[in-house]
Amino acid sequence: MSNPNMTRDLSADLVKLYRANAHVLADNTGEILNMQRQDALEDFMRLGVPDIKNEDYKYTRIEDYLKGNYDVEFTNDPFKVNLREIFKCDIPELDTHVVLVMNGFYYHDNNLSDLPEGIIVCGLNEASVRYPEIFRQHYGRYARTANDGLIALNTLFAHDGVFVYVPEGQRLDRPLQVINLSFSFRNLRITRRNLIITGDNATCNIILCDHTLSAHSYVTNSLTEVYAGKNARFDFSRMQNENSISSQITHTFIHQEENSVVSSNTISLHGGLIRNNFYSRLNGTGCENNVYGLFLGDDNQHIANYTLINHATPNSTSNQLFKGILDDNATGAFNGKIYVSRNAQKTIAYQKNNNLLLSPTARMNSKPHLEIYADDVKCSHGATIGRLDNEAMFYLRSRGISEKEARQLLMYAFADEIIGKIQVSLLRDRIIDMVDKRLRGELACCSNCDLRFG
Amino acid sequence: MLNIKDLHISIEGREIIKGIDLEVKAGEVHAIMGPNGSGKSTLASALAGRELLEITKGHVTYLGEDLLDMSTEDRAKKGLFLGFQYPVEIPGVSLVNFMKTAVNEQRKFHGLEPISASDFLKLMREKQDLVGLHTKLTNRSVNEGFSGGEKKRNEIFQMAMLNPKLAILDETDSGLDIDALKIVANGVNKLRTKDNATIIITHYQRLLDYIIPDYVHVLYKGKIVKSSGKELALELEEKGYDWIREESK
């Protein structure tokens, strides 16, 4: 049973935590970050941590994952270690610009000397001080704290993360790979905040990987704001790979101007709780927005995806496709919404969620939702929850393929539709391999991350 | 090779096959004919190991072993092949990958190393040519978007790839035009040796114009009511199944 007092207590504790450390945050972060904290505080005090009476969180008992004793690092000093010695991404062929982020802090020694002229990649806090004009234009403009306590909470505690700026007409030559590491000797509460600006006619491709590097519990509240200018192309792949006792809440806000194309692809491989919120606003005509996700859950994991695609202007297209495979006692949720405003005529918007349950105790809740105020649109939504196809199993086995291998082939085939949409081919190959191993129940971790404890 | 003794099969408590005896030896081609609903497909899929079917009585030995004791995949690995009446579409699994997995599982079973990429491609090409299966189909998902004829050709292609000892072809001729029928029959005939055997299940006689059976059996209401040489098929063609119905009254 949900205890309404619990979220209230948890929320009160978080407010207390903020108040006790407000001066540390203020001393260590730039003015623009600090300017938004007061509103965020008021919003959070009003909204609190969402409970299951909140329609958007009805399938996810978020408070269960957020409560407990956690340390918080308000400053970036505990580790003066060489991160490159602790962590090496073992996709050596992956030709990317790499930046590391540790416990929400941009690593001081990221080497980005070969970025193309004019493109900025740096820590969020640093950017707020060094590039205040650009920063002010975008920071907190897309992530509204008034509607969701967790967004308010992120803005309240925001201190660092990654800042990316690709100016008008520029092109990031190789993908930028952001590796978020969680590493501590105690349980840790982490806040991450990213801001990505792709100017008019600019192109940018970002790969985001999340890893927990020790057997501690991490509760991460991560928020990314993305601006895509006119004709901009932005491609975003995220791999979520955390241990079973960690929880991750992500919010991705995408703001698109005329004729821009933005795709995001989120592969949730592992984690105790994964809750992803996707908000897209198609603010100019002729936009294309694609939101794809694949989630694989077993044990007692809970994976929830929430979307809100807002067609604010005419002639845009959006596609949502989320696919999940759940085994054991894993639970999942999809709560997706397409909103078409009155003047967004000629909108094309699709939403689909397909789920495969492998055990009788796995559970999935799917709630597709359309809200349409324009009259000349083409929209569809659909959800399925099913098991592996017996006929297909028999067919494969009748050719000598073992039951285990046949299941593997069918599960992989199910997942392939999403993986096939990953544009960076080496990353795609790597994810194919990881998903394959994950579906076989083998460790699907990168190099030195251990996922199975806890 | 295959020896069926007093086989009874039920689906959800309803008896479909009501006591069948059949012996198939290496090198033989048997045709099982019969009107719709006589139990032909039930028999075929029971031999391949379909789970929903309940064997209530009887024995089947295959190559000296108890067939009913084996899993579906082990039957296949030991050389039993079922050509499906309705081949299943499997989105996301490419035909190439499917066949490679199947060939390698079979090789593993026989203690062989996985097939090399070049040998596999060679094998694919050779067998594709045999049944005229276009390369654009082998790169697609299994049976997805295939026409009826392409699906049936694909069954014979898979049979050629796996080189079975006993092939059971369930209504492989249904839905085929005469040219496709010839190609399918030609494939079957080319694969025929003195060491393997084929059971052809069909409603019509016309496939038997191209694949000459050694024996023809008529299955009616779950029993084999008539067995004879190939001339029985012609007699059936001429007189129709009403003749059997009359006789078995």
Side-chain angles (χ1 to χ4, degrees), chain A residues 310-351:
Chain A
N310 183 351
H311 283 261
T313 49
N315 291 310
S316 287
T317 302
S318 68
N319 295 292
Q320 299 175 58
L321 178 62
F322 282 83
K323 294 187 120 180
I325 303 178
L326 300 174
D327 201 355
D328 303 330
N329 299 310
T331 51
F334 174 75
N335 195 336
K337 185 162 160 184
I338 297 170
Y339 179 94
V340 181
S341 70
R342 194 182 303 258
N343 70 332
Q345 301 294 1
K346 307 280 181 196
T347 286
I348 300 174
Y350 301 114
Q351 181 191 77

Side-chain angles (χ1 to χ4, degrees), chain A residues 14-62:
Chain A
L14 290 166
V15 169
K16 237 184 277 172
L17 177 73
Y18 170 71
R19 289 200 160 126
N21 293 281
H23 64 287
V24 186
L25 273 169
D27 290 350
N28 286 284
T29 54
E31 188 198 337
I32 305 168
L33 294 184
N34 285 311
M35 264 166 32
Q36 300 202 2
R37 295 195 208 278
Q38 189 53 39
D39 282 350
L41 178 65
E42 282 164 24
D43 286 331
F44 182 70
M45 286 173 71
R46 180 170 50 84
L47 296 162
V49 171
D51 61 22
I52 55 166
K53 280 177 285 175
N54 182 324
E55 192 64 19
D56 294 346
Y57 284 88
K58 64 192 284 191
Y59 304 119
T60 307
R61 292 176 184 280
I62 213 93

Side-chain angles (χ1 to χ4, degrees), chain B residues 23 87 89 105 120 128 134 147 157 173 204 214 235 241:
Chain B
E23 192 180 0
E89 295 193 14
E105 289 257 338
F120 180 72
Q128 268 171 253
H134 203 279
S147 70
F157 164 71
D173 52 337
Y204 304 103
D214 300 299
E235 208 174 342
Y241 285 112

Side-chain angles (χ1 to χ4, degrees), chain B residues 6-10 15 17 54-58:
Chain B
D6 193 26
L7 187 66
H8 292 249
I9 305 168
S10 295
E15 190 166 65
I17 296 294
E54 200 189 336
I55 313 286
T56 51
K57 202 175 161 196

Side-chain angles (χ1 to χ4, degrees), chain A residues 416-433:
Chain A
D416 185 57
E417 191 180 357
I418 302 285
I419 299 168
K421 294 186 189 296
I422 295 171
Q423 295 183 8
V424 182
S425 62
L426 281 166
L427 178 68
R428 188 172 56 238
D429 292 348
R430 175 61 185 200
I431 287 176
I432 287 172
D433 186 48

